[in-house]
Amino acid sequence: MDYNYARRMADMKASEIRELLKLTEKPEVISFAGGLPAPELFPIEEIKKANNHVLDHNGGQALQYSTTEGYGPLRKWIAQRMNAQLGTSFGGDDIMMTNGSQQALDLSGKLFLDEGDVVLCESPTYLAAISAFKAYGCRFVEVPTDEEGMMIPELEHALKAEPDAKLIYVIPNFQNPTGRTWSLNRRQKLAELSAAYNVAVIEDNPYGELRYEGSFLPSIKSFDRTGNIICTGTFSKILCPGYRIGWIAGEAEVIRKYVLVKQGVDLQCSTIAQMVISAYLEQYDIDAHIRTIREVYRKRRDVALDAVNRFFPSDIKYTKPEGGLFLWIELNDAVDTVALLEKCLEYNVAFVPGNSFYPNRNKPNTLRINFSNMPEDRIEEGIARIGQVLVV
């Protein structure tokens, strides 16, 4: 049948990179490609007990439909934790649960973006955010970044040049793909510019709890005086991604709008998944669990940095993240990392070429390495293999 698809489908094409990365599913491949947490750190026994507790005590409720906003005790816990750690002032009613923070991005596109609207983003930025927003026909304006985040003069220049910009999308903590963290000053300045130009900000924070050194910084939202800044978060990196439970946090007015668009998508998130996570948080010490994750990932980050320093050419540039899951590497201008990936797959090692993280321009000599999902010996071996291909 010759289907009459929506116009937006014309711009949706299978990624050549993702097709290549299907090969990474082979067990012999050392993959630095996905942003995957380490499965050996999932608290399986504790979650099993929490699940049984929920079914034993509230099975009827857990297996029933529930509200679009989400499970009340879990929303309250999220608000209190954000307030304590990030300097926000949310209540439980300011939180709406989502199917992972990825759904939060898609719902944001549905809520804010019309055909031709402008999204300002970091350059580079999160690949799946590009995909989520692009489906609504937006244009991207990339704002240059350095080690402290978006460069504020360039951001203000972009806001002046695009007075009708709808969204600013940022990942201020251990950004995907670069691993960089915004400075306190830049967080404050972004909040000020958001208010001055009346542009909503999506502050995406999936990695904020995974700090391995340095001090935790307040949320950009903590400097918000107009209600323009909307936060997203997830349990995927601090508990497990399989439940697909994340959230959006914002002012009551915008959360009501998010509820309306979510009702047209999936009605609600999994009731039992929310209740099991809430039971886990009541019965176990999530902070002790996160400390374990941090220690494991810190060691893996250090092994990855050391291996890059030893096995890669001396003329590269690379980030040294204080947390998160990723290293960002810029190679010699002559290197095309898509071609490099094809060659590395012959040696059973994979990464993500950097071009995918730029919505407009090309930067073919860049790549992202994830260090959280592989044990330390395989991290060293995999980076050594990439280094060998680079020097051939």
Side-chain angles (χ1 to χ4, degrees), residues 102-166:
Q102 184 63 30
Q103 186 185 55
L105 300 180
D106 180 72
L107 294 177
S108 296
K110 188 183 291 288
L111 182 59
F112 286 102
L113 299 177
D114 293 312
E115 188 84 22
D117 281 343
V118 169
V119 175
L120 307 182
C121 65
E122 296 161 290
S123 181
T125 192
Y126 177 42
L127 170 61
I130 297 173
S131 300
F133 297 147
K134 193 174 183 180
Y136 297 98
C138 70
R139 291 191 297 116
F140 292 93
V141 173
E142 298 179 38
V143 179
T145 60
D146 60 17
E147 294 304 315
E148 294 186 55
M150 269 187 180
M151 300 169 73
I152 296 302
E154 283 78 359
L155 173 58
E156 185 158 21
H157 175 78
L159 287 166
K160 289 177 178 177
E162 302 287 350
D164 297 321
K166 280 287 192 71

Side-chain angles (χ1 to χ4, degrees), residues 157-174:
H157 175 78
L159 287 166
K160 289 177 178 177
E162 302 287 350
D164 297 321
K166 280 287 192 71
L167 284 179
I168 303 172
Y169 172 70
V170 297
I171 310 171
N173 296 313
F174 324 123

Side-chain angles (χ1 to χ4, degrees), residues 84-379:
Q85 293 197 336
L86 301 175
T88 54
S89 55
F90 291 122
D93 289 342
D94 301 320
I95 310 294
M96 185 189 79
M97 307 310 298
T98 60
N99 279 299
S101 57
Q102 184 63 30
Q103 186 185 55
L105 300 180
D106 180 72
L107 294 177
S108 296
K110 188 183 291 288
L111 182 59
F112 286 102
L113 299 177
D114 293 312
E115 188 84 22
D117 281 343
V118 169
V119 175
L120 307 182
C121 65
E122 296 161 290
S123 181
T125 192
Y126 177 42
L127 170 61
I130 297 173
S131 300
F133 297 147
K134 193 174 183 180
Y136 297 98
C138 70
R139 291 191 297 116
F140 292 93
V141 173
E142 298 179 38
V143 179
T145 60
D146 60 17
E147 294 304 315
E148 294 186 55
M150 269 187 180
M151 300 169 73
I152 296 302
E154 283 78 359
L155 173 58
E156 185 158 21
H157 175 78
L159 287 166
K160 289 177 178 177
E162 302 287 350
D164 297 321
K166 280 287 192 71
L167 284 179
I168 303 172
Y169 172 70
V170 297
I171 310 171
N173 296 313
F174 324 123
Q175 192 239 20
N176 183 356
T178 65
R180 294 170 179 156
T181 296
W182 284 46
S183 67
L184 184 65
N185 177 260
R186 300 239 181 133
R187 293 167 190 246
Q188 186 170 0
K189 292 296 184 183
L190 173 56
E192 292 171 0
L193 288 176
S194 168
Y197 290 88
N198 193 30
V199 182
V201 174
I202 305 297
E203 181 182 6
D204 199 4
N205 187 32
Y207 316 106
E209 298 251 19
L210 303 180
R211 176 173 282 281
Y212 316 132
E213 61 186 61
S215 301
F216 283 87
L217 295 172
S219 167
I220 296 167
K221 178 67 177 176
S222 69
F223 301 108
D224 184 14
R225 300 294 177 263
T226 59
N228 279 349
I229 298 171
I230 301 158
C231 302
T232 71
T234 180
F235 286 103
S236 292
K237 305 305 187 294
I238 61 170
L239 194 61
C240 63
Y243 276 135
R244 307 305 303 128
I245 296 297
W247 63 86
I248 297 173
E251 306 302 312
E253 176 187 350
V254 77
I255 292 299
R256 284 195 294 270
K257 297 293 187 183
Y258 273 110
V259 169
L260 291 177
V261 294
K262 183 173 169 63
Q263 286 173 345
V265 174
D266 62 2
L267 298 181
Q268 61 164 97
C269 297
S270 164
T271 309
I272 190 169
Q274 295 177 74
M275 292 182 70
V276 169
I277 290 175
S278 185
Y280 172 90
L281 295 170
E282 290 177 6
Q283 296 169 11
Y284 299 100
D285 186 348
I286 185 69
D287 292 302
H289 176 64
I290 293 171
R291 284 194 295 271
T292 299
I293 295 174
R294 288 177 188 151
E295 183 60 21
V296 171
Y297 290 176
R298 182 189 62 78
K299 291 178 180 176
R300 293 180 180 183
R301 178 207 60 177
D302 292 347
V303 168
L305 288 170
D306 179 68
V308 166
N309 193 49
R310 286 191 289 129
F311 297 120
F312 277 34
S314 60
D315 61 349
I316 69 166
K317 299 177 183 176
Y318 59 95
T319 57
K320 299 176 182 178
E322 295 181 337
L325 307 181
F326 305 108
L327 306 184
W328 179 251
I329 299 172
E330 186 173 334
L331 301 170
N332 184 286
D333 288 342
V335 178
D336 182 335
T337 56
V338 174
L340 177 66
L341 173 61
E342 293 180 3
K343 187 67 176 177
C344 284
L345 286 170
E346 297 176 13
Y347 291 81
N348 288 325
V349 63
F351 55 83
V352 180
N355 250 0
S356 303
F357 300 98
Y358 295 93
N360 299 325
R361 66 193 186 101
N362 291 324
K363 192 76 170 171
N365 63 323
T366 56
L367 62 96
R368 188 194 75 179
I369 285 179
N370 164 260
F371 53 78
S372 60
N373 188 241
M374 286 285 149
E376 292 158 33
D377 59 336
R378 298 200 85 196
I379 291 172

Side-chain angles (χ1 to χ4, degrees), residues 46-64 71 243 271-283:
E46 292 88 345
I47 287 177
K48 184 188 299 183
K49 292 175 182 177
N51 185 79
N52 290 338
H53 176 84
V54 167
L55 289 173
D56 288 342
H57 292 84
N58 299 101
Q61 180 185 359
L63 299 177
Q64 184 59 277
Y71 185 53
Y243 276 135
T271 309
I272 190 169
Q274 295 177 74
M275 292 182 70
V276 169
I277 290 175
S278 185
Y280 172 90
L281 295 170
E282 290 177 6
Q283 296 169 11

